[in-house]
Amino acid sequence: MTDLVTMRGIDKAFPGVRALKGAEFDLRPGEVHALMGENGAGKSTLMKILAGIYRQDAGEVLVGGQPVDLGSPRAAIAAGIGIIHQELILMPHLTAAQNILIGREPRKAGGLLLDEVALNAYAADVFKSMQLSLDPRTLVGSLTIARQQMVEIAKALSFRSRILIMDEPTAALNDKEVNELFAIINRLKADGVGIVYISHKMDEIKRIADRVTVMRDGAYVGTVDARETPISKIISMMVGREIDNEAPAAPDLSAAPVALEVRGLTRATQVRDVSFAVKAGEILGFAGLMGAGRTEVARLIFGADKADSGEILLGGKRIDVVAPQDAVRCGIGYLSEDRKALGLATGLDVRNNIALASIPRFSKLFGILDEQAMHAAANEYIEKLAIKTPSDRQPARLLSGGNQQKIVIAKWLLRDCKVLIFDEPTRGIDIGAKSEIYKLLNALAAEGKAIIVISSELPEVLRLSHRIAVMCEGRLTGFLPAGAPQEDIMRLATMRGAAA
Amino acid sequence: MSDNFLAGLIGKSQGAGGARYKLLAFGSLILLFVVFSLASPNFLQTSNILAILQATSVNGVLAIAATVVIITGGIDLSVGTLMTFCAVIAGVVLTFLGLPLPLGIAGAILAGAGAGFVTGNIVARLRIPPFIATLGMMLILKGLSLVISGTRPIYFNGTPGFTSISQGSIVGTVIPAVPVPNGVLVLFAVAIVISLVLTRTALGRYTFALGSNEEAVRLSGVNTRGWKVAVYTLAGAICGIAGLLIASRLNSAQPALGQGYELDAIAAVVIGGTSLAGGSGTILGTLIGALIISVLANGLRIMSVPQEWQTVITGTIIILAVYIDMLRNRNAS
């Protein structure tokens, strides 16, 4: 039997990152082939190459045994490859049928007018073949996420796709919807469609997949039988054996006061009943897979979003945080995941960025700013944090990622924050600057700051944290001591539907 | 007419809660009529109603052009000066070159389509944000109109039929009691044709799709750039029609006119419930929006409210309309 897809020796580099190094993958008709790996392992990149969204730098792709050039989404569609993106890509203002047939609308009146009747009939046929009851004239924006996903699948099938890529298809689905999705996947399998299933969730892989291919750091690790291989074996393939972290000796914090405590924090399904405490001088690491709800917890503490319930205590006293300004006033600093968009005013210079959260302190009569005091304060932190900049008047956007991160840290230090929340502190920063940031975080903890670090990179969490909190699907699934094995973290991070 | 077309015209098919909002805009228009007719017996007279409709024709056609661009998630600040540019081109063809009337009409519409084609390429291929691209085009076209005309108005005295494009009344020759000006017929014709284009043709489908999620359209293998250029070209051609209407009404192409018209047009679109975020909107809504603006102006004038206050009231209504649009979107999501 010819394989539907064979990918061999695929290389792909993005500026500054080698995303794929000799990646391999194959897909047989009528199988569900799971593609697994940690965040950043290259799964999505590999599949985007198969879907014609990226083009590989090296390596070959065979479809049905024939080499193909998948240079555009259109070419991939023509080769029978459909992709259901994690973030659904639909047009909410259009109907289900209009979404499915976008770009291929049936025409009438010599091609001048759209044939809406034929359009709806066609979509109804596709839904029927999926045994899905859905009115093709429904606006997509009014459908649930699960139903929108069905529309995406119908769209892919309507191209007579024999190869269907699903990127984290159950991320936003409840158990009942997952069952419906799996029923459809099983029907497609029976029809001989090959399905690539990207997921982090072990229980799902066990239920639906036939084979599992594991990737790590952009490279192929191995392919195993999904049913016979124990979960622990798959996890160890994902995290690899080399553990090169020099986990810091956790300081003795038994006498240290609790700086921040969170009780029963809840927001819709993103954050569910999260409770934890951080002591002064402690670095609490938050591990979990993408979408586990870690950033959402940070945003609730910082007042960027509103909690449905739960309370936040600072130094033992309950505080009301309804907006970021409340958190800042209480001495909580948040260094966001996306520095450029959320943390740094890239158009302003270094001095103004550092002073941004402390402007009232530098305001004199009539709100005139005391530039000299700002200059002095900025220089103090440029020196203290070793920020590499020609002067404090340098526009922040001209600095490297590591130095930009330091500016944001300086901003919160100047504001005299007691609690600092770092969301992906080293994203987009090169390795040299990374270890400097690590040192800085350790020094801040030694000074008595309470620090929360959210990171998708397990080695980073292991290297920094005195204690590790693990989240999965909005719940805190457990705490681990410094230097816990990566396998334990992955197990907690994939504990679906478990309570803390 | 199919259900779909009617739904598109009255705004049921696009956007959750759209129908209710459309009723709100329509209700406001009715309310204005009631208030003004109670306030002044002159308001509901046939001649005054016809004057309101005639006053709506130019802004209404421009607003329709702005609507198609806004549905794609863009904005067009150049509709006003493009209108003038097209009027000047008509003047060049008819008065400077002395060619027959049909060529003047074709020239104005083609000039509009050509300018729209250029704008579309600036937006779609050079990837200049529509606000900037059309701001630049607004000034370029204003300057070109002045250059071509030698900064003087071009009169159409050599083309006797020209004024009847807007001011004549075909209806009046059949039913003398209701001499609906031709300009109003043109407005309705443009509204019906563009409604059909938006709801029944591929171009219309892609107009909404681009505004709803351009990336989704691109990943579906559709030539998004080409279709975007087509949308701006269509909008330009509609501006050409507006240029003919205003030139016919003034019996001249006034090269200094035009700037400021784009704001009235966008105001009509927004009051009519088309979302500036793109993806939804209707021509009927825009027509109602344009009518609300003219009825307000006319009614307040009849009630002897000074011009200055009319402007204040129109501004307030724009802000209210957008605020309601935001509430609607919040409820829908």
Side-chain angles (χ1 to χ4, degrees), chain A residues 38-298:
Chain A
E38 287 188 90
N39 297 334
K43 309 171 299 258
S44 293
T45 307
L46 186 65
M47 286 306 119
K48 281 182 176 168
I49 287 172
L50 186 56
I53 297 166
Y54 297 152
R55 185 190 281 275
Q56 71 269 31
D57 299 334
E60 59 173 352
V61 181
L62 282 70
V63 173
Q66 301 297 315
V68 287
D69 177 24
L70 302 171
S72 67
R74 201 192 283 251
I77 290 167
I81 299 164
I83 183 164
I84 316 297
H85 295 273
Q86 188 177 359
E87 301 287 329
L88 296 177
I89 302 188
L90 291 165
M91 291 145 288
H93 301 88
L94 269 53
T95 68
Q98 289 168 353
N99 264 280
I100 289 171
L101 285 166
I102 188 79
R104 303 173 292 154
E105 293 82 359
R107 307 283 181 90
K108 60 181 181 186
L112 193 66
L113 298 182
L114 299 178
D115 188 343
E116 212 70 5
V117 175
L119 179 105
N120 288 325
Y122 184 99
D125 269 357
V126 178
F127 290 149
K128 207 168 141 199
S129 75
M130 291 167 66
Q131 299 179 25
L132 179 70
S133 74
L134 179 67
D135 186 341
R137 291 166 300 182
T138 319
L139 279 181
V140 160
S142 68
L143 295 171
T144 63
I145 298 290
R147 291 258 132 165
Q148 293 188 8
Q149 196 167 47
M150 296 300 173
V151 173
E152 282 257 38
I153 293 172
K155 181 176 168 185
L157 293 177
S158 73
F159 284 102
R160 315 214 167 281
S161 298
R162 305 304 295 161
I163 299 151
L164 206 52
I165 304 163
M166 297 188 180
D167 192 352
E168 302 261 8
T170 59
L173 305 192
N174 65 32
D175 289 344
K176 185 167 161 278
E177 292 165 339
V178 169
N179 289 337
E180 283 173 17
L181 175 70
F182 283 7
I184 286 192
I185 289 179
N186 280 324
R187 280 198 288 277
L188 295 175
K189 265 177 72 164
D191 288 343
V193 175
I195 292 160
V196 186
Y197 193 92
I198 301 181
S199 178
H200 287 298
K201 294 170 185 162
M202 287 296 167
D203 54 338
E204 283 179 8
I205 302 297
K206 281 284 174 194
R207 269 176 70 191
I208 196 78
D210 300 299
R211 290 193 295 161
V212 178
T213 287
V214 175
M215 292 181 70
R216 188 170 68 235
D217 298 332
Y220 174 80
V221 175
T223 302
V224 294
D225 184 287
R227 284 182 189 80
E228 287 168 9
T229 316
I231 290 176
S232 60
K233 162 91 166 120
I234 296 175
I235 289 178
S236 70
M237 284 170 77
M238 283 165 64
V239 295
R241 276 284 152 234
E242 78 287 2
I243 294 172
D244 59 340
N245 63 85
E246 326 111 44
D252 180 15
L253 295 167
S254 52
V258 170
L260 174 79
E261 188 176 355
V262 165
R263 288 184 194 155
L265 210 53
T266 300
R267 177 181 163 86
T269 56
Q270 304 169 317
V271 177
R272 306 187 227 192
D273 195 21
V274 168
S275 303
F276 66 89
V278 205
K279 289 186 161 184
E282 185 181 28
I283 302 181
L284 177 64
F286 267 79
L289 301 163
M290 228 177 274
R294 296 163 301 158
T295 296
E296 287 74 10
V297 168

